[in-house]
Amino acid sequence: MAKLYKKTSGNGTLTLYLGKRDYVDHVQNVDPIEGVVKLDPAGLAGRKVFVKLACAFHYGREDLDVIGLSFRKDIWVKHIQLYPDAGHKPNLTPMHVCLLKKAGEQGRAFTFDIATNLPCSVTLQPGPDNAGKACGVDFEVKTYIATEADPEEKLDRKDTARMTVRKIQFAPDATGAPGPRADICKSFMMSDKPVHLQASLEKEIYYHGDPINVNIKVKNETSRTVTKIKIIVEQTTDVVLYSADKYTKTVLSQDFGETIDANSTFDKSLAITPLLAENKKKRGLALEGRLKDEDTNLASNTIIRAGMDKEVLGILVSYKIKVNLMVSSGGLLGGLTASDIQVELPLILMHPKPQEGKLPLRLSKFPQQ
């Protein structure tokens, strides 16, 4: 039986139950959100009970709304009226049955089907001194008491119960296609022969936390020495919803003390592993959507389907690897600074598909957000 989550409103009238908080985008379809709301009609005072799923882009803390320093745009919203009954009759799944057993006689089941063209959850890491919501795209399930589905007045927090959920993607099945490769041939002043650099990856997609072997081949036909190899991984984040902002952050920079003498060759794989643990204080880094009191990791690459509107995706994430050779000045050029030879490779970082399995039942209570 899956782990269960619950959240109760401040007045105790509503309790929201979910069986999971991660919902997978399978490209052709997205896992439906199956939940239950337990309600006490005695505490409604003639009002109705709704449940809402919203995908929103936000920037800034909620408490700054009043002075115009916070921005929020709902990308997609869907409401369901649960009480009085308005005809929402989802096909009951084993998850619904389990949640209804927990909720008791006053439980009302609901199902949200998530549109396939919506973005996955992503958040930009705030600075160490920043509190509240950072810039990002998130999904929220909220049940609330109101007279209409989309009331003009602001809801009283005690009349709501809400949970943030994540929409995530897993890496597609391996295609067997070779990884990317890049080549460069660079000559230097007063030298009639070049340095050849080739860098390649073994496959197209890598999983978060796994080592990445960068295959490097060098043919040094000059009289200079390659004194160092540096490998850099950069994350580029395009915030496309409200502006053309683009952020590039270095998530890994690693030096390798490999020297390549004049008129010699080099052929070796060098392993790197970009991790969030090494970038915890880097403001503006794109992360997987963060759930309260739970850790996360670097954001996965944004996979764009043909015909999708990029602006609807809100935030686009991509990675690249830079391989640099530091070449010493030598011969008649002694005294000049060292030169760089660089190639770039695209990198796709994602999660592997999890193995099918069932977790033991555990009920988790989360504080009101």
Side-chain angles (χ1 to χ4, degrees):
M1 186 62 64
K3 177 180 178 179
L4 300 183
Y5 301 88
K6 65 178 287 189
K7 186 78 69 69
T8 300
S9 62
N11 59 17
T13 302
L14 303 175
T15 300
L16 173 64
Y17 292 86
L18 294 176
K20 59 182 182 178
R21 300 184 82 181
D22 285 337
Y23 297 86
V24 181
D25 183 343
H26 302 280
V27 181
Q28 295 85 4
N29 64 286
V30 184
D31 290 345
I33 296 179
E34 299 166 349
V36 165
V37 173
K38 179 182 179 181
L39 58 91
D40 179 6
L44 300 180
R47 295 171 295 171
K48 301 174 183 178
V49 174
F50 300 90
V51 63
K52 178 174 83 169
L53 173 62
C55 171
F57 176 90
H58 54 80
Y59 180 83
R61 306 201 312 266
E62 291 182 350
D63 60 356
L64 295 180
D65 275 340
V66 292
I67 55 175
L69 296 179
S70 182
F71 172 87
R72 177 187 171 92
K73 178 178 176 62
D74 285 334
I75 300 173
W76 183 87
V77 177
K78 191 171 182 180
H79 304 85
I80 296 172
Q81 181 177 319
L82 295 178
Y83 184 87
D85 184 5
H88 180 68
K89 301 290 185 183
N91 293 323
L92 295 184
T93 65
M95 178 61 71
H96 282 129
V97 172
C98 174
L99 298 176
L100 286 168
K101 286 181 180 177
K102 284 290 176 182
E105 295 181 358
Q106 297 295 346
R108 305 295 174 104
F110 65 87
T111 297
F112 284 112
D113 293 317
I114 305 175
T116 57
N117 65 334
L118 296 178
C120 288
S121 301
V122 63
T123 231
L124 299 190
Q125 182 166 258
D129 299 326
N130 295 120
K133 282 192 175 182
C135 175
V137 173
D138 66 18
F139 289 77
E140 182 182 77
V141 180
K142 179 168 71 174
T143 183
Y144 56 96
I145 303 169
T147 56
E148 55 186 333
D150 192 13
E152 294 183 2
E153 71 276 6
K154 189 172 182 178
L155 295 171
D156 193 322
R157 288 176 66 90
K158 67 180 177 60
D159 289 334
T160 68
R162 54 183 179 169
M163 274 190 267
T164 300
V165 298
R166 286 188 293 209
K167 177 175 172 285
I168 58 177
Q169 273 185 326
F170 294 126
D173 294 330
T175 62
R181 189 180 78 176
D183 305 82
I184 191 172
C185 182
K186 183 173 181 178
S187 298
F188 298 92
M189 290 180 61
M190 304 182 69
S191 174
D192 59 350
K193 293 186 177 181
V195 174
H196 302 263
L197 167 62
Q198 180 189 100
S200 62
L201 301 179
E202 298 168 344
K203 53 188 179 180
E204 287 184 292
I205 299 172
Y206 288 84
Y207 300 148
H208 291 286
D210 285 354
I212 300 168
N213 291 320
V214 183
N215 304 315
I216 299 174
K217 294 182 179 181
V218 179
K219 185 178 181 182
N220 181 11
E221 299 184 64
T222 72
S223 59
R224 303 183 178 205
T225 299
V226 176
T227 59
K228 183 172 63 177
I229 300 175
K230 179 189 284 285
I231 300 180
I232 296 169
V233 179
E234 290 183 346
Q235 180 197 78
T236 299
T237 303
D238 283 315
V239 182
V240 296
L241 184 65
Y242 73 99
S243 71
D245 286 354
K246 179 180 285 191
Y247 306 94
T248 297
K249 303 287 183 181
T250 298
V251 297
L252 179 142
S253 180
Q254 190 168 342
D255 292 337
F256 296 87
E258 307 281 354
T259 58
I260 306 169
D261 295 331
N263 299 302
S264 66
T265 60
F266 177 88
D267 188 345
K268 191 173 182 180
S269 290
L270 302 178
I272 58 172
T273 309
L275 297 169
L276 175 58
E278 308 298 327
N279 296 275
K280 285 285 192 179
K281 296 183 180 180
K282 195 163 290 181
R283 182 175 182 179
L285 197 64
L287 313 178
E288 299 280 341
R290 189 191 300 270
L291 298 180
K292 194 175 182 68
D293 300 327
E294 293 187 17
D295 207 352
T296 185
N297 49 259
L298 295 171
S300 296
N301 283 65
T302 304
I303 305 300
I304 302 176
R305 302 179 186 86
M308 289 186 70
D309 182 357
K310 290 184 178 181
E311 289 191 4
V312 174
L313 294 175
I315 296 177
L316 308 180
V317 179
S318 61
Y319 293 89
K320 63 183 173 183
I321 295 175
K322 293 181 176 180
V323 178
N324 297 273
L325 301 184
M326 190 64 70
V327 183
S328 68
S329 56
L332 297 176
L333 296 181
L336 295 182
T337 57
S339 302
D340 251 346
I341 302 174
Q342 182 184 95
V343 293
E344 296 183 1
L345 298 167
L347 172 65
I348 299 178
L349 278 179
M350 299 193 76
H351 292 287
K353 290 181 180 178
Q355 295 182 346
E356 293 293 332
K358 294 185 177 181
L359 298 174
L361 176 65
R362 184 169 63 175
L363 190 63
S364 296
K365 297 180 180 180
F366 283 81
Q368 186 75 352
Q369 297 174 331

